[in-house]
Amino acid sequence: MKIIIGGAGEVGFHLAKLLSNELNDIIIVDMDKDKLAFIENNLDVMAFRGDITSFKALREIKADEADMFITVTHLQNTNLTSAMIAKKMGAKKTIARISNPEFLHPDNQLWVKSLGIDIIISPEQLAASEIYSLIQQSAFNTMHSFANGQLFLAGTILDKDAKILNKKFKDMYLTSKGGVENLFMPIAIIRSNERGEYYTIIPENDTEFQIGDQIYFIVKKSGIIEIYKILGKKQEYFKNIIILGGGSIGIKTSKILSENKHNVKLIEINRHKAFDLADEMSSTLIINGDGRDGELLVEEGISDSDAFIAVTGSSETNIMSCLLAKSKGVKKTIALVENIDYIHLAQEVGINAFINKKLLTADSIFRYIRPGEVMDVTGISDLDAEVLEFKIQENSTAAYKKISDFPYQQDAIIAGIVRRNEGWIPTQDFILEPLDRVVVFSQANIISKVTKYFK
């Protein structure tokens, strides 16, 4: 498959990384020679220096032969223009990253497609949806649903209250009331050594869980409550929420939360923008001020707030304001972190959850590249790994095979099955059937092999 990616930023890099293990013919186009050099040195792809909207450049890279033309620069108009040109040239499918929410409105979809753009992706909408999921589940710092909400990826850090501390993997399975099925499966642990270096553990029978472990589960819908119990937590409802940053993500998040009966205050530092937002958003209290100002936060009732969400354009501002909110007693803090290197730092200093819209965007696009094979995909930012959802076809290699027959068990785990809209955490003798939706944790380097197995 020939894939052209416009934009060598973090979205383009992460997407190319996902695809470069699959023997695709990938070309990344950008004007920044340093970014292109970094990509060429780290990935098995071709880097082309040029303007993605240039007819000459698109002819040189033979955009007319592209199976997928994906444009993910930070400029919406560049993405739209280049996708339209590529489609007219003959590219089979085009995907464009956008920021204006009007393009997502159902009334405008026919118009967008008539321009030659098959799929539009909004990082801001993806980020707002992710934040809402984290607000709904108080104990988790990662949350993603699969198969219409029958299975979930849930991540959290084990603290002193966790009931599974020092217990072995083989001893911690929970079962349903009938005692015949597992409710969840731990799939990965991130742990730090004495030097503060992080390493990954794929749990085995004798693996013990330790305080400070970042642990990821695949869990059945009916098992969420039980997960709270083993974590020593109670599920809390976050009624009062403060959002810092009146940009696109802040606005979208405010609207989602307000529509779902949360009390929302939004702090915006720009005075003119704050007044415009006040006119636009009647269900949200808009405050003009600096969210890093402790006195302002106290004045606005930070001690009575359940959650604080920082989504300004500055990772540093988001981290610092979340720390300030945490010091005032806020139960859950969520920071938008654009620099992936800050993610571990944010967790170490006590921020509950982070959002990286670039990784969310790349994962979302990857799903569209594999229609009919990959139903959904989400990355785990701490790991060079993905959690993927497949739909088994009649002629799939996996059809009618036992879980124990899965040939990549050292680097991948079949962690969940949905059959006839019911979720299962499978045992080794579970037999896969056509139309099953299978959730798999996979190291990045074998995603192509895992995909082929379920194809």
Side-chain angles (χ1 to χ4, degrees):
M1 181 182 288
K2 179 173 182 177
I3 301 172
I4 295 173
I5 300 173
E10 287 183 347
V11 178
F13 177 83
H14 185 65
L15 186 58
K17 186 177 179 181
L18 285 173
L19 296 166
S20 62
N21 294 314
E22 303 190 25
L23 302 178
N24 290 303
D25 178 12
I26 300 172
I27 303 172
I28 294 191
V29 183
D30 202 289
M31 292 295 292
D32 190 320
K33 62 182 180 180
D34 292 331
K35 288 181 179 178
L36 293 174
F38 178 80
I39 284 176
E40 278 195 313
N41 291 332
N42 288 275
L43 300 176
D44 184 19
V45 302
M46 174 185 169
F48 181 89
R49 188 166 182 237
D51 181 355
I52 194 65
T53 63
S54 163
F55 287 89
K56 181 176 181 293
L58 292 177
R59 289 190 185 103
E60 283 188 47
I61 59 175
K62 298 183 179 178
D64 59 309
E65 298 177 1
D67 297 290
M68 299 287 299
F69 184 92
I70 306 163
T71 180
V72 289
T73 76
H74 66 284
L75 298 174
Q76 174 179 274
N77 289 345
T78 296
N79 297 334
L80 294 173
T81 301
S82 58
M84 287 188 285
I85 295 171
K87 190 70 170 184
K88 294 296 183 183
M89 283 184 167
K92 291 184 177 66
K93 181 171 283 189
T94 57
I95 300 177
R97 170 186 176 181
I98 57 98
S99 55
N100 187 340
E102 289 185 9
F103 285 91
L104 298 171
H105 197 281
D107 292 344
N108 299 329
Q109 291 303 295
L110 286 176
W111 181 82
V112 171
K113 287 189 178 296
S114 71
L115 294 175
I117 303 167
D118 297 301
I119 298 163
I120 50 176
I121 300 289
S122 168
E124 293 76 17
Q125 186 66 49
L126 293 170
S129 297
E130 191 86 356
I131 291 169
Y132 178 68
S133 295
L134 290 169
I135 290 295
Q136 298 308 107
Q137 299 293 341
S138 58
F140 302 121
N141 57 27
T142 299
M143 199 71 189
H144 186 86
S145 67
F146 291 97
N148 301 318
Q150 295 302 310
L151 295 171
F152 293 86
L153 168 70
T156 191
I157 296 177
L158 299 183
D159 60 21
K160 60 181 178 57
D161 297 322
K163 309 299 183 187
I164 59 173
L165 293 179
N166 304 317
K167 288 190 176 182
K168 292 183 178 180
F169 173 79
K170 64 182 178 183
D171 299 327
M172 67 170 292
Y173 276 123
L174 287 172
T175 60
S176 64
K177 290 181 180 179
V180 294
E181 62 172 306
N182 298 321
L183 296 178
F184 67 87
M185 179 183 288
I187 58 171
I189 299 169
I190 310 298
R191 185 175 290 170
S192 61
N193 59 25
E194 295 177 353
R195 296 186 297 276
E197 300 166 335
Y198 289 92
Y199 60 99
T200 303
I201 299 171
I202 306 299
E204 298 179 345
N205 280 337
D206 291 326
T207 302
E208 290 188 0
F209 299 94
Q210 301 178 6
I211 193 167
D213 282 352
Q214 168 72 41
I215 182 170
Y216 294 95
F217 302 91
I218 295 297
V219 56
K220 288 181 59 171
K221 184 178 181 180
S222 58
I224 292 287
I225 294 175
E226 298 301 329
I227 288 285
Y228 274 91
K229 290 180 182 178
I230 69 168
L231 295 175
K233 306 291 184 186
K234 291 183 179 179
Q235 187 167 2
E236 299 182 67
Y237 175 67
F238 295 147
K239 180 68 175 177
N240 301 312
I241 300 171
I242 293 178
I243 297 175
L244 175 64
S248 183
I249 296 176
I251 293 170
K252 291 177 188 298
T253 304
S254 295
K255 289 180 177 178
I256 293 173
L257 292 170
S258 296
E259 289 168 0
N260 286 276
K261 311 303 180 185
H262 296 272
N263 295 329
V264 182
K265 294 180 180 179
L266 189 150
I267 301 174
E268 168 54 46
I269 195 169
N270 183 290
R271 182 176 176 82
H272 296 294
K273 190 170 188 178
F275 275 100
D276 289 340
L277 290 174
D279 291 336
E280 177 187 343
M281 303 169 65
S282 58
S283 59
T284 299
L285 177 61
I286 307 298
I287 299 157
N288 175 223
D290 188 341
R292 298 166 296 181
D293 183 344
E295 291 184 7
L296 173 68
L297 292 180
V298 170
E299 189 178 306
E300 295 302 333
I302 188 70
S303 59
D304 297 322
S305 296
D306 300 307
F308 183 89
I309 303 165
V311 288
T312 74
S314 166
S315 296
E316 293 83 357
T317 296
N318 296 337
I319 291 171
M320 293 305 297
S321 60
C322 279
L323 290 177
L324 182 56
K326 200 72 176 178
S327 73
K328 302 297 182 183
V330 174
K331 296 173 184 175
K332 188 162 192 173
T333 53
I334 301 173
L336 178 70
V337 179
E338 293 296 285
N339 188 332
I340 299 173
D341 295 333
Y342 287 161
I343 287 174
H344 277 305
L345 171 63
Q347 289 184 333
E348 285 177 4
V349 296
I351 296 173
N352 298 106
F354 55 85
I355 298 291
N356 184 287
K357 65 181 182 181
K358 295 172 182 177
L359 296 183
L360 290 173
T361 303
D363 287 336
S364 180
I365 291 172
F366 183 76
R367 174 166 56 93
Y368 288 108
I369 293 173
R370 292 291 187 196
E373 299 166 15
V374 177
M375 306 295 292
D376 198 359
V377 59
T378 186
I380 298 179
S381 301
D382 314 67
L383 299 173
D384 192 15
E386 302 286 322
V387 181
L388 306 103
E389 177 188 339
F390 300 95
K391 185 175 182 179
I392 297 180
Q393 307 298 329
E394 184 70 39
N395 59 350
S396 168
T397 304
Y400 307 109
K401 298 286 182 63
K402 290 182 179 180
I403 299 295
S404 59
D405 295 329
F406 184 51
Y408 309 110
Q409 297 197 42
Q410 286 192 332
D411 298 298
I413 300 170
I414 298 177
I417 311 289
V418 173
R419 178 176 295 168
R420 290 184 285 275
N421 208 35
E422 182 179 358
W424 299 83
I425 303 300
T427 56
Q428 287 292 301
D429 59 355
F430 192 101
I431 298 175
L432 300 171
E433 296 180 358
L435 303 184
D436 282 353
R437 294 171 75 160
V438 183
V439 175
V440 181
F441 167 80
S442 175
Q443 303 279 22
N445 63 319
I446 65 159
I447 286 177
S448 59
K449 294 179 180 178
V450 170
T451 301
K452 188 176 181 180
Y453 183 77
F454 291 102
K455 184 174 179 180

